[in-house]
Amino acid sequence: MQKSGDDRRLGTILIDEGWLNAESLAMALSIHLNLPFADLSRESIPPDVLNIIPEQIARRYHLIPVEVNNGSLNVVMEDPTDIQVLEEISALTGMNIHPSVGVGMDIETAIDHYYKANQEIEREVAEFTGTVDTTDLAMDVDVEIDDPVVRAVDMILEQAVRDRASDIHIIPDHHAVRVRYRVDGMLRDALSLPRGSHYQLLSRIKVLADMNIAERRRPQDGQFSLQIEGEETFFRVATSDTTMGEMAAIRILGRAESIIHLEKLGMQAQTLKRFRQVIKSPFGMVLVAGPTGSGKTTTLYAALNQLDRQRYNIMTIEDPVEYNFKGINQIQVNRAAEITFASGLRGVMRLDPDKIMVGEIRDDETAKSAVQSALTGHLVLSSIHANNAAGTFFRLIHLGVDRFMINSSVLGMASQRLLRRTCTHCSVEKTEIQPLEADTYERVMGEPLEKYMGGEGCTYCQGTGYQDRIGVFELLVVNDEIRHMFSEGASSTEIEREAVKDGMTSMLKDGMMKVKQGVTTPAEVMRNVYAIQ
């Protein structure tokens, strides 16, 4: 057994050095030990089997039960040579253990997927539901760490982070409270809790976010942070009254994986090269356009990561600050202290900045202040709501900025959306293509679409065929011809046509290029991008 342990350590070294991948190591070990290899992405584990081994045991020993066969328990393990663990599991379950070899990362993913906190949450909710008068629940702030409502809310938040959710919705219904998670841009039901738990759950969330728990009719917002899986995670909360009662939407912010480098956003090579050149400009304005939830802040943060923090004084005004950067001075909007984007920007201008990021241009005062900053020797990065890059010109006009000021300050506008990636674990070649998808692809790419890669649905993607998201972009770099056209009153379509001549790749073409590259599907491109072309 010592030799097998040494073999595994050698295998780990080979993986770290890039000579071997984890799946190859696991398959080699299964052959060496004459044990079956388990592909957990193809397994479907019944809940009654999962109940045999508690989650904390599964996580401690890197294993997961998959099947009961003739009174014996089949378990997938990362290290099936550990006799002590096998004996402990056998004693715990009272069953004979038949081990299989699995990939460590696959086992962790399967544990995250199958060991949901739902049953524990329901047990905690059952403890406090029906024991108090719900009309007074929102006034009860004297809760302890071991209080059932505290544990229930913590588990809802932890499960959302574990499921890679970006948002949590807590919605009262006629007979229940629906808890929904937004994963990869799509909402799905996670839990249905008793109606009587509604106000206690919201009261706990309001306490965490330092909100007024007695106010149920007016919209409120707040934020808080918790340590989840060893990492500080930030949450932004908004509540509002509905016909069914008060609902809450919780945005999950500020985890390390959300801050990525420019080259990982999904820009095509030519677009990335031009974007890097634009943000290296000593002064002017660079805008990122798109709807809420399209990844604009991530793009701005990735751009900030490219700036030289040693040579320049880089400052930001954000609402809220989603991630703290070393070497960058960040200011958070605080309306109670009369710090808005516009007033904060005016204050920043007195602090000798070189580069400024404004979280969002959403009103005329902020727009005019940002343009003035760009015209007085500063590089200004910001986001704005517009349908496409060319439309950003006209959004600024709508906000009251003069055409001359726009022409003199704006260097470039990027527009973006997020597409779900095809799951790499269950991706297969597909040839059945919808007529509209085929026609659009051929029109944009100049060639027929004969096949693409699509997910079948597996454990990793929770049966959706997609896992994670990637951006699609268009970058309009303002040249002399576009400035002349804009000053002469050209339309958005005319400006876009000229930008394409100058080398801009439209979002629709970028999406179809990703279909060709096997990154996403034509249906996903059509769902997110086609309607705006």
Side-chain angles (χ1 to χ4, degrees):
M1 290 304 166
Q2 181 62 41
K3 186 176 187 302
S4 295
D6 292 341
D7 290 342
R8 287 194 66 78
R9 281 189 288 275
L10 174 61
T12 302
I13 293 171
L14 292 174
I15 290 173
D16 292 341
E17 294 296 325
W19 293 97
L20 196 66
N21 61 39
E23 186 173 354
S24 298
L25 174 62
M27 293 180 73
L29 184 64
S30 72
I31 294 170
H32 177 64
L33 299 175
N34 195 27
L35 290 173
F37 171 77
D39 182 359
L40 284 169
S41 67
R42 305 297 180 183
E43 294 281 352
S44 180
I45 307 174
D48 57 334
V49 174
L50 291 168
N51 291 336
I52 297 172
I53 296 180
E55 178 183 357
Q56 61 268 28
I57 300 296
R59 290 191 183 278
R60 183 188 307 163
Y61 296 129
H62 294 265
L63 57 84
I64 188 167
V66 293
E67 185 183 19
V68 175
N69 190 5
N70 295 326
S72 296
L73 182 64
N74 294 345
V75 175
V76 179
M77 305 176 65
E78 186 177 11
D79 183 8
T81 65
D82 195 327
I83 299 300
Q84 184 177 349
V85 170
L86 289 171
E87 289 176 349
E88 286 187 27
I89 298 300
S90 180
L92 174 69
T93 61
M95 305 171 75
N96 292 325
I97 306 299
H98 289 171
S100 300
V101 183
V103 179
M105 188 180 301
D106 291 359
I107 293 171
E108 290 181 12
T109 301
I111 291 171
D112 288 345
H113 174 66
Y114 285 108
Y115 281 102
K116 299 291 186 183
N118 295 11
Q119 291 182 348
E120 290 183 54
I121 294 170
E122 288 166 0
R123 280 196 295 269
E124 299 293 351
V125 167
E127 266 194 57
F128 64 77
T129 302
T131 62
V132 287
D133 180 1
T134 58
T135 60
D136 294 325
L137 287 177
M139 300 300 295
D140 182 13
V141 297
D142 187 18
V143 291
E144 302 294 337
I145 296 300
D146 60 349
D147 191 284
V149 68
V150 174
R151 293 196 299 267
V153 169
D154 286 352
M155 284 187 281
I156 289 171
L157 299 175
E158 289 168 6
Q159 187 63 52
V161 170
R162 188 180 293 173
D163 285 356
R164 300 183 299 105
S166 61
D167 299 85
I168 307 164
H169 292 190
I170 300 177
I171 307 166
D173 211 334
H174 285 284
H175 306 294
V177 178
R178 297 168 66 200
V179 179
R180 309 186 79 196
Y181 295 158
R182 188 182 295 278
V183 180
D184 295 335
M186 304 295 285
L187 275 173
R188 60 176 177 80
D189 289 328
L191 277 168
S192 181
L193 301 174
R195 188 71 165 83
S197 66
H198 173 223
Y199 284 115
Q200 276 189 301
L201 292 173
L202 258 62
S203 294
R204 174 57 184 164
I205 290 165
K206 287 181 177 181
V207 168
L208 287 170
D210 197 23
M211 296 159 67
N212 183 356
I213 63 171
E215 179 57 71
R216 303 180 192 173
R217 296 186 181 276
R218 294 179 182 174
Q220 296 188 71
D221 57 74
Q223 57 186 334
F224 64 94
S225 66
L226 290 176
Q227 284 286 331
I228 294 181
E229 296 180 347
E231 183 175 349
E232 188 172 19
T233 305
F234 294 86
F235 301 88
R236 185 173 66 204
V237 183
T239 62
S240 184
D241 193 29
T242 73
T243 55
M244 291 290 112
E246 197 174 18
M247 73 166 284
I250 306 170
R251 172 65 57 88
I252 301 173
L253 307 168
R255 289 180 68 82
E257 63 265 23
S258 66
I259 310 304
I260 58 179
H261 298 288
L262 269 178
E263 59 269 17
K264 294 183 179 179
L265 293 176
M267 291 183 184
Q268 302 293 346
Q270 182 63 19
T271 302
L272 177 60
K273 180 180 178 181
R274 300 183 85 191
F275 189 74
R276 287 185 189 277
Q277 289 172 343
V278 167
I279 63 175
K280 285 180 180 177
S281 301
F283 56 84
M285 180 183 289
V286 180
L287 297 171
V288 181
T292 300
S294 61
K296 300 187 297 295
T297 300
T298 300
T299 299
L300 289 173
Y301 277 172
L304 283 181
N305 263 335
Q306 300 294 302
L307 302 180
D308 189 339
R309 307 176 202 183
Q310 297 297 320
R311 295 175 56 197
Y312 299 119
N313 177 19
I314 304 171
M315 302 200 66
T316 75
I317 308 103
E318 305 173 59
D319 183 24
V321 172
E322 297 186 13
Y323 183 82
N324 291 308
F325 287 89
K326 291 182 179 178
I328 293 179
N329 304 303
Q330 296 171 265
I331 298 171
Q332 180 157 307
V333 166
N334 185 342
R335 291 172 184 81
E338 298 184 351
I339 300 173
T340 64
F341 282 123
S343 65
L345 185 53
R346 288 195 300 271
V348 162
M349 292 299 293
R350 294 191 287 270
L351 298 174
D352 188 30
D354 296 296
K355 319 288 183 182
I356 305 167
M357 188 195 93
V358 182
E360 184 181 344
I361 294 176
R362 60 174 67 152
D363 56 57
D364 58 348
E365 190 179 3
T366 306
K368 291 174 183 176
S369 297
V371 168
Q372 288 287 352
S373 301
L375 289 172
T376 52
H378 308 90
L379 178 68
V380 179
L381 306 174
S382 187
S383 70
I384 193 168
H385 287 287
N387 283 337
N388 53 31
T392 305
F393 277 123
F394 301 94
R395 175 62 176 150
L396 288 171
I397 290 176
H398 179 259
L399 290 172
V401 184
D402 292 336
R403 283 179 183 263
F404 170 76
M405 302 285 279
I406 296 170
N407 251 345
S408 302
S409 60
V410 177
L411 302 172
M413 304 100 129
S415 185
Q416 69 180 84
R417 298 292 186 277
L418 291 176
L419 304 182
R420 291 182 294 171
R421 287 176 177 267
T422 298
C423 177
T424 56
H425 298 280
C426 62
S427 177
V428 296
E429 190 176 281
K430 296 194 175 186
T431 56
E432 292 185 11
I433 304 163
Q434 296 297 318
L436 180 59
E437 296 170 4
D439 291 346
T440 305
Y441 182 92
E442 187 166 0
R443 173 173 61 83
V444 172
M445 299 293 288
E447 62 186 35
L449 177 61
E450 297 176 348
K451 59 185 179 180
Y452 67 93
M453 301 304 292
E456 292 281 271
C458 67
T459 300
Y460 292 91
C461 61
Q462 300 186 24
T464 64
Y466 298 95
Q467 188 179 37
D468 295 326
R469 290 189 289 175
I470 191 169
V472 283
F473 299 87
E474 60 185 24
L475 175 64
L476 189 158
V477 177
V478 184
N479 60 23
D480 290 341
E481 179 61 26
I482 290 174
R483 293 186 202 281
H484 175 72
M485 291 175 65
F486 179 61
S487 64
E488 292 296 313
S491 68
S492 173
T493 303
E494 291 170 329
I495 291 173
E496 183 174 359
R497 194 178 296 126
E498 175 60 32
V500 170
K501 285 183 185 177
D502 188 49
M504 182 180 85
T505 300
S506 71
M507 276 189 287
L508 183 57
K509 184 170 184 179
D510 186 15
M512 291 306 182
M513 290 170 71
K514 287 179 169 64
V515 171
K516 184 174 182 178
Q517 294 159 359
V519 175
T520 190
T521 65
E524 187 67 6
V525 176
M526 300 294 281
R527 184 178 70 86
N528 286 277
V529 184
Y530 177 76
I532 67 171
Q533 299 301 308

